[in-house]
Amino acid sequence: MIKLPKKLEAEEIIEIKDKNSFSSHRIPENRFRLFDPETNRSWGYVVVDHTGRGPGLGGVRMTQDISIQEVSRLAYIMTHKNAAANLPLGGAKAGLIANPEWFHGNPNLKKKLIKLYADVLFPINSYIPAPD
């Protein structure tokens, strides 16, 4: 049985791009790591790729092996998906590090994790979680 943290916190991941670099790699507007402040264990990531059309809209992926790179790629795809649908929204995505098997037979555990997740997301004004 997995032990959930008492609370989660978000810290922004700052990446500085070398101005002399020839790389065309785009850096998302905001990236956050969600972590347990008692153990420093990472529980997920939120990436806001682009907000030129409005706040970033994107779903939440829950899997045990999600990475910041995968969430960043998915947020980038959401930017283009929302623009193609002509929505007044940018692109974003979130990923929770959790094995869905933890919740079989224990739906309250999943509810507790989602509540922790929602509490930490509330202050991130540029992100709108959506069904995935």
Side-chain angles (χ1 to χ4, degrees):
M1 177 68 80
I2 188 70
K3 183 178 184 253
L4 295 180
K6 293 177 186 163
K7 70 180 255 181
L8 291 175
E9 291 184 5
E11 68 179 355
E12 189 166 4
I13 300 170
I14 305 293
E15 183 177 328
I16 300 170
K17 185 173 180 179
D18 182 1
K19 292 181 182 184
N20 298 319
S21 172
F22 291 108
S23 170
S24 62
H25 169 71
R26 266 183 70 249
I27 297 174
E29 289 180 19
N30 301 103
R31 298 183 315 161
F32 300 91
R33 178 178 79 105
L34 310 178
F35 69 99
D36 177 351
E38 288 183 11
T39 64
N40 203 32
R41 176 184 174 186
S42 293
W43 281 87
Y45 305 98
V46 175
V47 176
V48 178
D49 181 67
H50 190 268
T51 59
R53 296 176 61 93
L57 174 75
V60 180
R61 177 160 293 181
M62 185 183 301
T63 183
Q64 62 190 10
D65 58 356
I66 196 88
S67 68
I68 187 69
Q69 291 82 10
E70 181 178 0
V71 177
S72 295
R73 286 190 295 270
L74 293 168
Y76 177 76
I77 291 167
M78 287 305 301
T79 295
H80 292 280
K81 193 174 178 181
N82 292 337
N86 201 27
L87 297 175
L89 299 163
K93 195 70 169 184
L96 272 176
I97 302 170
N99 185 341
E101 292 179 12
W102 295 343
F103 310 115
H104 290 182
N106 193 350
N108 286 332
L109 187 65
K110 186 174 184 178
K111 285 180 186 178
K112 288 178 185 176
L113 179 60
I114 297 300
K115 169 114 175 56
L116 287 168
Y117 172 74
D119 289 346
V120 77
L121 286 184
F122 191 72
I124 303 174
N125 295 328
S126 57
Y127 175 59
I128 301 171
D132 196 18

